[in-house]
Every structure is written in structure tokens, then in C-alpha cells.
């Protein structure tokens, strides 16, 4: 039995029915316009199926958008001018032999190191035989080497700088982009492994001793060998410390001027007696911040000792080394000389001769090397890399060495002592050229795979494909929603106001009838 509907309900049904019969959404009007009930049923099933498919695919699109997928876009950028990178050079010998001899403690440590080295070489005869000594003795030379490095790094920075190779003695010739340069173009720092290191174009305003230098940024407007950085260096093999330095030459790194160089892990070795040409190409990497997959950072809120000490910007490597330093400080009670430590850290440098310190430092050094420390060090959002192409040739050549020898005699000092021997010249001198192969740079940029516009466009295409919805269709349903609000508002107002209206004709007729009856009475 059907319930009897009120006129208001019939009006609401009529309001909805008019929209559904004439909506621009394909399929829905056919449910109401079909003459036979079977056709109506088929249309209703099909429209329901299409709506479910559209809803399912739109849900998948939204979920994929909130997974924040990304892709890499590689672009070759042509430039008329490129900023020249910083170039760091370190002598492979960390401390001069003449300076070591002035220190009684380091001389004794060096003698012990020489004995251990000699003992280690004698042990090489035990390759196919059984050695009577314990396995612990095989580690005596590395321990003696670490002890020597520990004693060197216990010194103050001023003492270490004085004991290392001086740029004034090493730099024979410097030319950049066809213009002469000198030591005022170099800043410096002390590395625990290589001693004094010097950086060309670091854009810092002080040198390794704190004296003012030119910090202007250098650019290049031409690519090629002629327009690069030309250096001739005297490595002073006569000052090399035997049993400590096993190879001769310099360590060279090409890096961004705002990043901390780590020559112990990066760079290339340049041997003496050669002209080494290093062609480079700039690669700029840009990553997306969280919530995208790389979760990169600009270093905000992350402790970075290398920024505190050297003023360099955040890198993942500097973060890891800061984390390692903090782990050693917290667990060993000292700061390790391999990592940067700001002056306000207020912890002494680790003395590996102290009881328990060596084992503690070795433990956390092992954890650092194997990535076992709990460090939260995301990638940097902007990173500059330089792809290097290295080639070399004999230098100086046999045809040029006689003229070059006369130039060395005029320079005087230690250079004059090697000027008469072509072999000594090739053993002690290095030439290196660093230049851009081309002014094009490669840019690798991480981009969102799905943007807001892509999401809306794809959802609109799917809904239009399955059920024919468009923006106009949405406006139609919005119009229905507004009409329904108005309808219910009118009903509420109609019920809230009491029916006080009286028909004047009825009142007048009733009064006349009453008066007529009274008169007759």
C-alpha cells in the first residue's frame, strides 16, 4: 500500500526529476526517458557500473598523487659565461721532514714507525710459511702510523701550518684565463691526512694564516685549454718523510666554492714529471624536498660543524662527519682530529696513547666507515658536480728542459739545487691545467610526475569518458543543490509562521447574518 505524499514532497520530486531528465550527463536521462521498464533497468545498471568505474579510477589517481612520484629531467644548458669552480691542491706529503726533526716527540715516533715498517717488510717472507709471531704483531705498523698521525694532529693549527708545505715554496707559476695569478688567489685549510691544502677561487677573504686576500668570484667566458687554470708546482720530494709518504705528487679536487672539500676521499692524484690536463663539465642537480622521495634539505636545523668552522654550506658528507664527531664526543669524551670541531665544543683532542681512547675511537671509526651510526643526513637539494676528463704527457720535454733548467737556477732556493738534474726536475715538479671542455652545462632536475593540474585534467577526462560529466554538468547539480536549499528554507519559514490570515468576505458575511438575526428577534 503506497503512502499518500504531500504536495511539498511531490514538488521536491519534480524538482529532482526535471534535472535528471534533462541533465547533460549522458546515460542518466535515459533511465527516466525509456518507455519500457526493461530498458530503464538496463540503463540504470549501465549508469551504475560506469559511475563505479569512474570512482575507482579517480580514487587510484588521487592515491597515486599522494604518493608524490617524481621523475628526472635532463637539460643541456648553453651559457655564454660560467663560474669557475674552486680547485683545491694538497701535497701528498703532510709534513716536511726538516720540521719533524725539530720536534723530539715526533722524531721518536718517526723512529718507531721506521722500525715497524722494516719489521713489516721482513714479515713478507712468511707468505707461504708459518710465522712464529702472534697475529697482533701484523697490526703494529698501522698502529704506529696512527700514533704518528695522532701526535701530529695534537699540535695547534699554527704549528701544523708551519710544519707543512708552504704555498710560497710550492707555487712556481699561476695563470688563469690568460692573466697571471699568485698566492693571493688561494685560501687554505689544514687536513688531517695531507696537512696544508690550498684552494684557488674559494671566494674566501683570508688565507690559511688569516691574512686578507682577494675573494672575488672568477668566471670564464671561453672554453678550452688556453682559458683555464695553469699551475706549475714544486712538490719538494727532498722534504718527504720516509715510511709515512709512499707516493709523490699532489691531490687535486674540483668542487663548488661553498662546499667543504674532503681530499682524503675525493679528487685525483697528479704525479710529478707530467703535465696533467683536466677537462671538466659542470653538472647541476636539483632535488625536490619532502614529501617527495629524495627528502632533500638545505641544511636548516641540522648541525653542521663544517659550517661552524669553515663557513661552508650543508652537504650530506659534512653531515655524516659531524654525526661521527658527535658520536665520538659523547662516547669517548674527546674530539677526533679527522673531523671538524668548533672551538666551543670544549672537548680535548683524542690522544690515542691514552688507555681506552684508541679502542673507542677505532670502534666509532669502524661504524662511521660502514654506515652503522644513527645519522639522519638527507641529500642536499642543490648540488654541483664536475665530470672530469684526465689526460697527461711528459713534462718538461727533452727539448724544453734545458731552457727550463736555466729558469730554475734564476729562481734560487731549493729549485736551484735540482736545476742541473733532469731526473730531479721531473721528480719534483708538477704541471696541471684545469679548464672547461665546453661552456654547456648539464642540469638534472627532479620534477613531480603528477601536478595538481595533471590530476584534475586526468580525473576530468575519466569522468567524461565513463559518464559524460563536464564542468557544465557540475554546475547543473550545483543549481539543483541551491534550489533544494531554497525549497527547504521556504518550507521551514512556512511552518514557523502561524496561519493568522482571515478572509474579509467571510467575516463580513458572518457579521451581516448575525445582525439580521438580532433584528428579527
Amino acid at each position: 500500500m503506497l503512502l499518500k505524499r504531500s504536495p511539498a514532497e511531490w514538488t521536491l520530486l519534480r524538482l529532482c526529476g526535471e534535472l535528471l531528465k534533462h541533465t547533460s550527463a549522458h546515460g542518466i536521462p535515459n533511465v527516466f526517458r525509456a518507455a519500457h521498464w526493461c530498458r530503464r533497468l538496463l540503463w540504470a545498471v549501465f549508469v551504475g557500473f560506469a559511475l563505479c568505474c569512474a570512482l575507482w579510477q579517480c580514487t587510484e589517481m588521487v592515491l597515486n598523487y599522494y604518493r608524490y612520484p617524481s621523475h628526472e629531467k635532463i637539460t643541456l644548458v648553453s651559457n655564454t659565461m660560467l663560474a669557475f669552480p674552486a680547485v683545491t691542491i694538497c701535497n701528498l706529503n703532510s709534513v716536511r721532514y726538516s720540521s719533524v726533526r725539530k720536534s723530539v716527540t715526533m722524531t721518536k715516533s718517526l723512529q718507531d714507525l721506521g722500525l715497524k715498517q722494516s719489521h713489516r717488510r721482513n714479515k713478507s717472507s712468511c707468505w707461504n710459511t708459518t710465522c712464529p709471531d702472534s697475529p697482533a704483531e701484523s697490526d703494529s705498523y698501522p698502529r704506529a702510523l696512527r700514533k704518528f698521525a695522532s701526535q701530529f694532529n695534537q699540535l695547534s693549527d699554527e704549528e701544523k701550518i708551519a710544519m707543512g708545505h708552504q704555498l710560497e715554496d710550492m707555487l712556481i707559476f699561476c695563470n688563469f684565463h690568460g692573466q697571471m695569478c699568485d698566492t693571493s688567489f688561494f685560501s687554505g685549510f689544514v687536513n688531517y691526512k695531507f696537512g696544508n691544502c690550498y684552494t684557488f677561487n674559494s671566494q674566501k677573504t683570508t688565507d690559511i694564516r688569516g691574512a686578507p686576500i682577494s675573494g672575488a668570484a672568477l668566471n670564464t667566458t671561453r672554453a678550452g685549454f688556453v682559458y683555464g687554470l695553469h699551475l706549475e708546482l714544486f712538490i719538494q720530494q727532498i722534504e718527504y718523510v720516509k715510511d709515512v709518504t709512499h707516493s709523490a705528487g699532489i691531490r687535486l679536487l674540483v668542487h663548488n666554492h661553498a662546499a667543504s672539500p674532503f681530499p682524503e676521499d675525493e679528487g685525483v692524484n697528479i704525479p710529478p714529471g707530467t703535465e696533467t690536463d683536466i677537462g671538466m663539465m659542470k653538472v647541476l642537480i636539483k632535488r625536490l624536498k619532502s614529501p617527495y622521495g629524495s627528502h632533500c634539505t638545505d641544511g636548516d636545523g641540522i648541525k653542521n660543524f663544517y659550517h661552524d668552522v669553515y663557513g661552508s654550506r650543508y652537504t650530506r658528507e659534512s653531515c655524516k662527519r659531524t654525526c661521527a664527531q658527535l658520536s665520538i664526543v659523547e662516547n669517548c669524551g674527546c674530539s677526533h682530529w679527522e673531523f671538524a670541531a668548533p672551538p666551543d665544543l670544549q672537548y680535548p683532542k683524542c690522544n690515542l696513547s691514552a688507555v681506552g681512547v684508541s679502542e673507542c675511537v677505532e670502534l666509532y671509526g669502524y661504524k662511521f666507515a660502514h654506515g652503522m651510526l644513527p645519522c639522519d643526513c638527507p641529500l642536499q637539494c642543490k648540488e654541483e658536480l664536475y665530470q672530469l676528463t684526465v689526460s697527461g704527457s711528459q713534462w718538461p720535454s727533452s727539448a724544453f728542459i734545458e731552457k727550463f733548467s736555466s729558469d730554475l737556477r734564476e729562481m734560487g732556493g731549493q729549485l736551484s739545487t735540482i736545476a742541473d738534474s733532469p731526473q730531479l726536475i721531473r721528480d719534483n715538479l708538477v704541471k696541471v691545467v684545469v679548464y672547461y671542455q665546453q661552456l654547456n652545462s648539464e642540469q638534472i632536475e627532479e620534477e613531480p610526475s603528477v601536478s595538481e593540474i595533471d590530476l584534475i585534467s586526468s580525473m576530468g577526462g575519466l569522468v567524461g569518458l565513463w559518464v559524460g560529466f563536464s564542468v557544465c554538468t557540475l554546475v547543473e547539480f550545483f543549481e539543483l543543490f541551491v534550489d533544494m536549499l531554497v525549497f527547504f528554507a521556504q518550507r521551514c519559514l512556512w511552518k514557523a509562521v502561524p496561519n493568522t490570515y482571515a478572509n474579509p468576505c467571510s467575516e463580513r458575511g458572518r457579521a451581516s447574518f448575525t445582525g439580521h438575526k438580532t433584528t428579527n428577534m
Side-chain angles (χ1 to χ4, degrees):
M1 179 178 178
L2 296 175
L3 296 175
K4 188 176 180 180
R5 294 183 175 90
S6 66
E9 291 175 335
W10 280 112
T11 304
L12 180 60
L13 289 174
R14 188 164 53 249
L15 192 67
C16 296
E18 286 297 321
L19 172 72
L20 295 177
K21 287 179 182 179
H22 301 92
T23 181
S24 59
H26 309 300
I28 295 179
N30 294 325
V31 177
F32 299 91
R33 289 200 297 260
H36 196 273
W37 66 269
C38 183
R39 289 188 177 184
R40 290 182 182 179
L41 179 61
L42 291 175
W43 273 111
V45 171
F46 175 76
V47 170
F49 172 75
L51 283 171
C52 291
C53 289
L55 181 62
W56 166 59
Q57 292 190 358
C58 288
T59 303
E60 288 294 324
M61 280 190 173
V62 173
L63 292 176
N64 182 57
Y65 172 77
Y66 282 104
R67 294 187 189 101
Y68 299 102
S70 62
H71 64 274
E72 285 72 36
K73 182 181 74 173
I74 301 177
T75 308
L76 189 63
V77 182
S78 298
N79 306 277
T80 57
M81 181 178 67
L82 274 179
F84 199 78
V87 179
T88 295
I89 56 172
C90 308
N91 200 314
L92 293 182
N93 181 63
S94 61
V95 57
R96 292 177 296 164
Y97 182 67
S98 59
S99 300
V100 173
R101 293 174 59 186
K102 297 177 182 178
S103 172
V104 177
T105 304
M106 295 196 66
T107 301
K108 177 62 169 61
S109 178
L110 187 62
Q111 292 174 350
D112 295 341
L113 186 61
L115 293 174
K116 300 296 183 181
Q117 171 75 338
S118 176
H119 183 65
R120 187 184 71 159
R121 288 170 179 168
N122 291 335
K123 299 291 287 184
S124 62
S125 60
C126 302
W127 179 260
N128 292 320
T129 60
T130 303
C131 296
D133 296 331
S134 63
E137 292 187 6
S138 62
D139 194 40
S140 58
Y141 174 73
R143 287 184 180 275
L145 186 61
R146 285 195 295 270
K147 182 180 178 182
F148 177 81
S150 175
Q151 290 180 346
F152 170 70
N153 285 281
Q154 292 293 325
L155 303 174
S156 65
D157 287 345
E158 292 75 13
E159 292 175 316
K160 286 188 285 187
I161 291 172
M163 295 183 71
H165 292 270
Q166 307 302 309
L167 184 62
E168 295 80 6
D169 300 329
M170 292 177 58
L171 187 63
I172 300 175
F173 175 81
C174 177
N175 184 285
F176 173 73
H177 212 278
Q179 301 293 324
M180 297 301 294
C181 49
D182 53 25
T183 57
S184 65
F185 286 74
F186 291 80
S187 65
F189 61 95
V190 180
N191 180 264
Y192 77 93
K193 184 175 182 179
F194 296 108
N196 295 344
C197 292
Y198 303 95
T199 303
F200 176 84
N201 191 33
S202 68
Q203 299 186 17
K204 294 182 179 179
T205 56
T206 57
D207 64 7
I208 193 170
R209 294 183 177 85
I213 60 172
S214 173
L218 299 178
N219 303 310
T220 180
T221 57
R222 298 287 298 273
F225 177 90
V226 176
Y227 303 97
L229 173 66
H230 295 245
L231 296 176
E232 294 179 8
L233 302 168
F234 178 38
I235 64 172
Q236 298 177 296
Q237 275 211 65
I238 193 174
E239 292 281 8
Y240 274 37
V241 179
K242 64 178 182 179
D243 301 324
V244 174
T245 307
H246 297 165
S247 56
I250 65 169
R251 187 81 160 182
L252 184 142
L253 293 80
V254 179
H255 57 93
N256 179 265
H257 64 85
S260 290
F262 300 106
E264 64 274 22
D265 296 329
E266 305 167 353
V268 294
N269 284 352
I270 309 298
T274 61
E275 177 182 311
T276 303
D277 301 333
I278 301 178
M280 58 184 177
M281 181 176 181
K282 181 179 179 180
V283 180
L284 177 62
I285 301 176
K286 294 182 178 179
R287 302 182 178 92
L288 293 173
K289 293 184 178 181
S290 185
Y292 291 94
S294 60
H295 299 289
C296 71
T297 181
D298 292 325
D300 299 332
I302 299 179
K303 189 174 289 296
N304 182 9
F305 288 162
Y306 290 85
H307 177 269
D308 301 337
V309 176
Y310 303 111
S312 58
R313 71 183 184 189
Y314 171 88
T315 62
R316 192 178 195 180
E317 187 63 26
S318 63
C319 174
K320 289 183 177 179
R321 291 170 182 266
T322 300
C323 176
Q325 182 71 286
L326 288 173
S327 299
I328 293 174
V329 164
E330 293 173 359
N331 295 278
C332 305
C334 60
S335 63
H336 196 7
W337 28 265
E338 286 191 12
F339 311 111
D344 58 353
L345 195 60
Q346 296 179 351
Y347 279 88
K349 294 181 181 179
C350 294
N351 185 1
L352 300 186
S353 300
V355 179
V357 174
S358 177
E359 291 75 10
C360 181
V361 170
E362 288 181 12
L363 172 63
Y364 284 93
Y366 176 86
K367 289 185 177 182
F368 167 72
H370 293 80
M372 299 169 62
L373 294 177
C375 302
D376 182 19
C377 294
L379 291 167
Q380 56 268 35
C381 290
K382 187 176 181 180
E383 183 177 9
E384 286 186 5
L385 303 177
Y386 294 89
Q387 294 178 348
L388 306 182
T389 302
V390 182
S391 60
S393 58
Q394 185 188 56
W395 180 85
S397 65
S398 300
F400 175 66
I401 198 166
E402 184 175 349
K403 173 65 171 61
F404 191 64
S405 297
S406 63
D407 294 339
L408 295 178
R409 292 189 195 95
E410 294 178 2
M411 294 179 186
Q414 289 184 339
L415 291 173
S416 60
T417 61
I418 65 171
D420 296 328
S421 171
Q423 185 60 45
L424 287 178
I425 292 175
R426 293 193 175 106
D427 285 345
N428 286 275
L429 296 180
V430 173
K431 183 174 182 179
V432 61
V433 182
V434 183
Y435 61 95
Y436 277 114
Q437 292 178 304
Q438 53 187 353
L439 290 185
N440 297 332
S441 60
E442 185 176 306
Q443 182 170 299
I444 304 175
E445 188 172 4
E446 186 180 15
E447 292 184 337
S449 296
V450 183
S451 64
E452 292 82 357
I453 296 177
D454 295 334
L455 177 64
I456 294 172
S457 300
S458 300
M459 291 178 64
L462 280 175
V463 174
L465 172 68
W466 284 104
V467 292
F469 271 46
S470 65
V471 176
C472 293
T473 309
L474 295 178
V475 174
E476 291 173 2
F477 280 94
F478 178 74
E479 182 185 15
L480 173 63
F481 175 73
V482 173
D483 290 341
M484 292 176 66
L485 288 179
V486 173
F487 172 77
F488 284 114
Q490 289 177 346
R491 285 198 61 186
C492 292
L493 290 174
W494 181 74
K495 289 183 178 181
V497 178
N499 189 10
T500 58
Y501 174 76
N503 192 336
C505 297
S506 300
E507 292 295 331
R508 189 181 304 114
R510 186 181 300 111
S512 299
F513 178 74
T514 305
H516 179 72
K517 286 180 67 178
T518 306
T519 304
N520 290 338
M521 290 176 64

